[in-house]
Amino acid sequence: YPGQEAAGAELLFIGVRARLRGQGIGSRLVEALVAECRARSISNLVVTVDVANQGANRFYRRHGFQYQRTFELYGRQMNSYRLELRG
């Protein structure tokens, strides 16, 4: 993405059917991804989320991702988050 620092890894999408949300499925998926990234010595993980998707923005912040910036992508405002995996 324009102006973004290089990522060790990028999470492109996690989706859980609406009727299955709230059961910890998304959390378990992120935890498994983080564990695999650490096992591979990846230093950080980034994710881009539509600003309007308040649930996803809360989800990633709750899982330790730190807000980096807001930028426009394909005419939409997006938030970039980063999770440091070392240190």
Side-chain angles (χ1 to χ4, degrees):
Y1 304 106
Q4 181 169 307
E5 184 180 324
E10 180 180 15
L11 170 55
L12 294 177
F13 179 80
I14 284 184
V16 177
R17 289 185 187 268
R19 65 182 172 80
L20 298 174
R21 291 182 189 147
Q23 298 180 30
I25 296 167
S27 293
R28 289 193 301 273
L29 289 169
V30 167
E31 290 163 4
L33 175 61
V34 167
E36 185 62 26
C37 287
R38 285 189 169 130
R40 294 177 184 224
S41 299
I42 294 172
S43 62
N44 62 74
L45 178 60
V46 298
V47 65
T48 300
V49 181
D50 193 308
V51 168
N53 190 339
Q54 295 175 11
N57 281 279
R58 280 191 307 271
F59 176 85
Y60 290 110
R61 286 192 308 269
R62 191 170 60 243
H63 286 85
F65 286 78
Q66 299 295 311
Y67 170 82
Q68 299 295 298
R69 68 189 181 107
T70 300
F71 64 100
E72 187 172 317
L73 182 66
Y74 305 120
R76 300 184 68 104
Q77 292 296 303
M78 307 297 280
N79 286 334
S80 175
Y81 293 94
R82 182 182 198 94
L83 179 65
E84 294 299 327
L85 300 173
R86 292 187 185 163

